[in-house]
Amino acid sequence: DAGVIQSPRHEVTEMGQEVTLRCKPISGHNSLFWYRQTMMRGLELLIYFNNNVPIDDSGMPEDRFSAKMPNASFSTLKIQPSEPRDSAVYFCASSLGGQGAIYGYTFGSGTRLTVV
Amino acid sequence: KNQVEQSPQSLIILEGKNCTLQCNYTVSPFSNLRWYKQDTGRGPVSLTIMTFSENTKSNRRYTATLDADTKQSSLHITASQLSDSASYICVVSASAHNNAGNMLTFGGGTRLMVKP
């Protein structure tokens, strides 16, 4: 199993540009999570999908952020327009059984986003 | 408000020495507690998951303890190795009362550096 696959690993973009981060969860997992990690705030949950349906998006900072999960094997997190304060590492994670799943909660390697 | 506090924020030890990382939480109702290891530039990887009834759990040189009464957990690393240098994150899962599923609360992490 290749684990949770994220792309790109690194993204540098100019302020105002659209950024799209991609995630392929582990096959068979029914829950997918997008997190943002910064030195100041640590790991923060942005949005959580269960069976491709957004369940909790209360962590999405503002309307500039949007996430989709068109099928069980693919999700995107889009920022439009991007701002320098969006610079962070964005992680995708998947699990079988939701946030509280005892086993099978796996993180991807992250996308380091830098907005200049 | 659910909170997870970790101490120390950072720690430097010599190779071969032992160390203990602390995690205090105010998450309720408690479901489980996890310790993750995050290497630089990588996603968090689960070391151990503890449920309410478990007091101690070991994984190779890592031993986690849980005191559900005082809401404290510790991660003890024995005979440290250079490869133990990483951030260690304590994550507590609360049982949810709705279909959103359990909710995770992340600690800020302890950054451990093992020096030769």
PDB file of all heavy atoms in Angstrom, chain A residues 75-92:
ATOM      1  N   SER A  75      -9.225  13.857  -3.646  1.00  0.00           N
ATOM      2  CA  SER A  75      -9.749  15.073  -3.036  1.00  0.00           C
ATOM      3  C   SER A  75      -8.833  16.238  -3.385  1.00  0.00           C
ATOM      4  O   SER A  75      -7.631  16.049  -3.607  1.00  0.00           O
ATOM      5  CB  SER A  75      -9.834  14.939  -1.518  1.00  0.00           C
ATOM      6  OG  SER A  75     -10.269  16.146  -0.917  1.00  0.00           O
ATOM      7  N   THR A  76      -9.392  17.422  -3.435  1.00  0.00           N
ATOM      8  CA  THR A  76      -8.608  18.639  -3.673  1.00  0.00           C
ATOM      9  C   THR A  76      -8.931  19.686  -2.627  1.00  0.00           C
ATOM     10  O   THR A  76     -10.054  19.760  -2.107  1.00  0.00           O
ATOM     11  CB  THR A  76      -8.895  19.242  -5.061  1.00  0.00           C
ATOM     12  OG1 THR A  76     -10.292  19.571  -5.149  1.00  0.00           O
ATOM     13  CG2 THR A  76      -8.503  18.301  -6.172  1.00  0.00           C
ATOM     14  N   LEU A  77      -7.920  20.484  -2.325  1.00  0.00           N
ATOM     15  CA  LEU A  77      -8.076  21.661  -1.481  1.00  0.00           C
ATOM     16  C   LEU A  77      -7.601  22.845  -2.309  1.00  0.00           C
ATOM     17  O   LEU A  77      -6.472  22.858  -2.772  1.00  0.00           O
ATOM     18  CB  LEU A  77      -7.247  21.547  -0.204  1.00  0.00           C
ATOM     19  CG  LEU A  77      -7.274  22.747   0.742  1.00  0.00           C
ATOM     20  CD1 LEU A  77      -8.658  22.927   1.357  1.00  0.00           C
ATOM     21  CD2 LEU A  77      -6.232  22.593   1.855  1.00  0.00           C
ATOM     22  N   LYS A  78      -8.500  23.806  -2.501  1.00  0.00           N
ATOM     23  CA  LYS A  78      -8.184  24.929  -3.362  1.00  0.00           C
ATOM     24  C   LYS A  78      -8.187  26.225  -2.564  1.00  0.00           C
ATOM     25  O   LYS A  78      -9.050  26.436  -1.695  1.00  0.00           O
ATOM     26  CB  LYS A  78      -9.209  25.018  -4.502  1.00  0.00           C
ATOM     27  CG  LYS A  78      -8.933  26.110  -5.530  1.00  0.00           C
ATOM     28  CD  LYS A  78      -9.963  26.073  -6.657  1.00  0.00           C
ATOM     29  CE  LYS A  78      -9.857  24.819  -7.478  1.00  0.00           C
ATOM     30  NZ  LYS A  78     -10.761  24.843  -8.653  1.00  0.00           N
ATOM     31  N   ILE A  79      -7.214  27.077  -2.862  1.00  0.00           N
ATOM     32  CA  ILE A  79      -7.139  28.399  -2.247  1.00  0.00           C
ATOM     33  C   ILE A  79      -7.140  29.424  -3.385  1.00  0.00           C
ATOM     34  O   ILE A  79      -6.279  29.393  -4.258  1.00  0.00           O
ATOM     35  CB  ILE A  79      -5.859  28.573  -1.392  1.00  0.00           C
ATOM     36  CG1 ILE A  79      -5.709  27.430  -0.392  1.00  0.00           C
ATOM     37  CG2 ILE A  79      -5.908  29.920  -0.655  1.00  0.00           C
ATOM     38  CD1 ILE A  79      -4.383  27.436   0.356  1.00  0.00           C
ATOM     39  N   GLN A  80      -8.151  30.311  -3.360  1.00  0.00           N
ATOM     40  CA  GLN A  80      -8.286  31.304  -4.420  1.00  0.00           C
ATOM     41  C   GLN A  80      -8.969  32.550  -3.884  1.00  0.00           C
ATOM     42  O   GLN A  80     -10.138  32.469  -3.470  1.00  0.00           O
ATOM     43  CB  GLN A  80      -9.090  30.730  -5.587  1.00  0.00           C
ATOM     44  CG  GLN A  80      -9.592  31.727  -6.624  1.00  0.00           C
ATOM     45  CD  GLN A  80      -8.497  32.453  -7.366  1.00  0.00           C
ATOM     46  OE1 GLN A  80      -7.369  31.995  -7.415  1.00  0.00           O
ATOM     47  NE2 GLN A  80      -8.813  33.592  -7.935  1.00  0.00           N
ATOM     48  N   PRO A  81      -8.303  33.703  -3.857  1.00  0.00           N
ATOM     49  CA  PRO A  81      -6.884  33.922  -4.168  1.00  0.00           C
ATOM     50  C   PRO A  81      -5.995  33.622  -2.965  1.00  0.00           C
ATOM     51  O   PRO A  81      -6.417  33.775  -1.817  1.00  0.00           O
ATOM     52  CB  PRO A  81      -6.874  35.415  -4.482  1.00  0.00           C
ATOM     53  CG  PRO A  81      -7.935  35.986  -3.585  1.00  0.00           C
ATOM     54  CD  PRO A  81      -9.012  34.935  -3.514  1.00  0.00           C
ATOM     55  N   SER A  82      -4.777  33.208  -3.220  1.00  0.00           N
ATOM     56  CA  SER A  82      -3.863  32.883  -2.129  1.00  0.00           C
ATOM     57  C   SER A  82      -3.264  34.146  -1.532  1.00  0.00           C
ATOM     58  O   SER A  82      -3.142  35.183  -2.204  1.00  0.00           O
ATOM     59  CB  SER A  82      -2.752  31.952  -2.628  1.00  0.00           C
ATOM     60  OG  SER A  82      -2.068  32.553  -3.700  1.00  0.00           O
ATOM     61  N   GLU A  83      -2.912  34.069  -0.240  1.00  0.00           N
ATOM     62  CA  GLU A  83      -2.294  35.181   0.479  1.00  0.00           C
ATOM     63  C   GLU A  83      -1.064  34.657   1.224  1.00  0.00           C
ATOM     64  O   GLU A  83      -0.999  33.460   1.539  1.00  0.00           O
ATOM     65  CB  GLU A  83      -3.290  35.783   1.475  1.00  0.00           C
ATOM     66  CG  GLU A  83      -4.510  36.406   0.813  1.00  0.00           C
ATOM     67  CD  GLU A  83      -5.457  37.040   1.807  1.00  0.00           C
ATOM     68  OE1 GLU A  83      -5.133  37.052   3.026  1.00  0.00           O
ATOM     69  OE2 GLU A  83      -6.518  37.532   1.378  1.00  0.00           O
ATOM     70  N   PRO A  84      -0.104  35.531   1.518  1.00  0.00           N
ATOM     71  CA  PRO A  84       1.108  35.080   2.229  1.00  0.00           C
ATOM     72  C   PRO A  84       0.807  34.361   3.541  1.00  0.00           C
ATOM     73  O   PRO A  84       1.524  33.417   3.904  1.00  0.00           O
ATOM     74  CB  PRO A  84       1.870  36.397   2.463  1.00  0.00           C
ATOM     75  CG  PRO A  84       1.471  37.260   1.317  1.00  0.00           C
ATOM     76  CD  PRO A  84       0.016  36.942   1.070  1.00  0.00           C
ATOM     77  N   ARG A  85      -0.249  34.743   4.247  1.00  0.00           N
ATOM     78  CA  ARG A  85      -0.570  34.085   5.519  1.00  0.00           C
ATOM     79  C   ARG A  85      -1.081  32.657   5.349  1.00  0.00           C
ATOM     80  O   ARG A  85      -1.276  31.942   6.331  1.00  0.00           O
ATOM     81  CB  ARG A  85      -1.609  34.900   6.293  1.00  0.00           C
ATOM     82  CG  ARG A  85      -2.940  35.092   5.581  1.00  0.00           C
ATOM     83  CD  ARG A  85      -3.763  36.147   6.299  1.00  0.00           C
ATOM     84  NE  ARG A  85      -4.921  36.564   5.532  1.00  0.00           N
ATOM     85  CZ  ARG A  85      -6.178  36.377   5.931  1.00  0.00           C
ATOM     86  NH1 ARG A  85      -6.421  35.794   7.074  1.00  0.00           N
ATOM     87  NH2 ARG A  85      -7.185  36.806   5.187  1.00  0.00           N
ATOM     88  N   ASP A  86      -1.303  32.248   4.097  1.00  0.00           N
ATOM     89  CA  ASP A  86      -1.697  30.863   3.833  1.00  0.00           C
ATOM     90  C   ASP A  86      -0.489  29.933   3.799  1.00  0.00           C
ATOM     91  O   ASP A  86      -0.647  28.706   3.713  1.00  0.00           O
ATOM     92  CB  ASP A  86      -2.429  30.759   2.493  1.00  0.00           C
ATOM     93  CG  ASP A  86      -3.692  31.609   2.446  1.00  0.00           C
ATOM     94  OD1 ASP A  86      -4.307  31.823   3.511  1.00  0.00           O
ATOM     95  OD2 ASP A  86      -4.046  32.073   1.341  1.00  0.00           O
ATOM     96  N   SER A  87       0.696  30.497   3.833  1.00  0.00           N
ATOM     97  CA  SER A  87       1.912  29.683   3.797  1.00  0.00           C
ATOM     98  C   SER A  87       1.942  28.747   4.997  1.00  0.00           C
ATOM     99  O   SER A  87       1.840  29.180   6.155  1.00  0.00           O
ATOM    100  CB  SER A  87       3.154  30.583   3.805  1.00  0.00           C
ATOM    101  OG  SER A  87       3.188  31.404   2.664  1.00  0.00           O
ATOM    102  N   ALA A  88       2.062  27.461   4.722  1.00  0.00           N
ATOM    103  CA  ALA A  88       2.000  26.428   5.764  1.00  0.00           C
ATOM    104  C   ALA A  88       2.255  25.090   5.099  1.00  0.00           C
ATOM    105  O   ALA A  88       2.433  25.000   3.884  1.00  0.00           O
ATOM    106  CB  ALA A  88       0.619  26.414   6.430  1.00  0.00           C
ATOM    107  N   VAL A  89       2.255  24.036   5.910  1.00  0.00           N
ATOM    108  CA  VAL A  89       2.271  22.683   5.367  1.00  0.00           C
ATOM    109  C   VAL A  89       0.847  22.132   5.496  1.00  0.00           C
ATOM    110  O   VAL A  89       0.248  22.177   6.569  1.00  0.00           O
ATOM    111  CB  VAL A  89       3.253  21.761   6.119  1.00  0.00           C
ATOM    112  CG1 VAL A  89       3.251  20.373   5.491  1.00  0.00           C
ATOM    113  CG2 VAL A  89       4.660  22.355   6.089  1.00  0.00           C
ATOM    114  N   TYR A  90       0.335  21.650   4.388  1.00  0.00           N
ATOM    115  CA  TYR A  90      -1.027  21.116   4.353  1.00  0.00           C
ATOM    116  C   TYR A  90      -0.956  19.595   4.282  1.00  0.00           C
ATOM    117  O   TYR A  90      -0.328  19.040   3.385  1.00  0.00           O
ATOM    118  CB  TYR A  90      -1.794  21.689   3.160  1.00  0.00           C
ATOM    119  CG  TYR A  90      -2.076  23.163   3.327  1.00  0.00           C
ATOM    120  CD1 TYR A  90      -1.097  24.121   3.037  1.00  0.00           C
ATOM    121  CD2 TYR A  90      -3.307  23.607   3.808  1.00  0.00           C
ATOM    122  CE1 TYR A  90      -1.340  25.488   3.225  1.00  0.00           C
ATOM    123  CE2 TYR A  90      -3.562  24.965   3.990  1.00  0.00           C
ATOM    124  CZ  TYR A  90      -2.572  25.893   3.702  1.00  0.00           C
ATOM    125  OH  TYR A  90      -2.821  27.225   3.890  1.00  0.00           O
ATOM    126  N   PHE A  91      -1.605  18.953   5.242  1.00  0.00           N
ATOM    127  CA  PHE A  91      -1.604  17.497   5.290  1.00  0.00           C
ATOM    128  C   PHE A  91      -2.994  16.961   4.958  1.00  0.00           C
ATOM    129  O   PHE A  91      -4.018  17.533   5.340  1.00  0.00           O
ATOM    130  CB  PHE A  91      -1.219  16.996   6.684  1.00  0.00           C
ATOM    131  CG  PHE A  91       0.229  17.146   7.015  1.00  0.00           C
ATOM    132  CD1 PHE A  91       0.669  18.185   7.828  1.00  0.00           C
ATOM    133  CD2 PHE A  91       1.163  16.256   6.523  1.00  0.00           C
ATOM    134  CE1 PHE A  91       2.011  18.333   8.141  1.00  0.00           C
ATOM    135  CE2 PHE A  91       2.510  16.390   6.822  1.00  0.00           C
ATOM    136  CZ  PHE A  91       2.936  17.429   7.629  1.00  0.00           C
ATOM    137  N   CYS A  92      -2.984  15.840   4.293  1.00  0.00           N
ATOM    138  CA  CYS A  92      -4.189  15.067   4.071  1.00  0.00           C
ATOM    139  C   CYS A  92      -4.042  13.780   4.883  1.00  0.00           C
ATOM    140  O   CYS A  92      -2.939  13.233   4.981  1.00  0.00           O
ATOM    141  CB  CYS A  92      -4.330  14.760   2.577  1.00  0.00           C
ATOM    142  SG  CYS A  92      -5.721  13.719   2.142  1.00  0.00           S
TER     143      CYS A  92
END
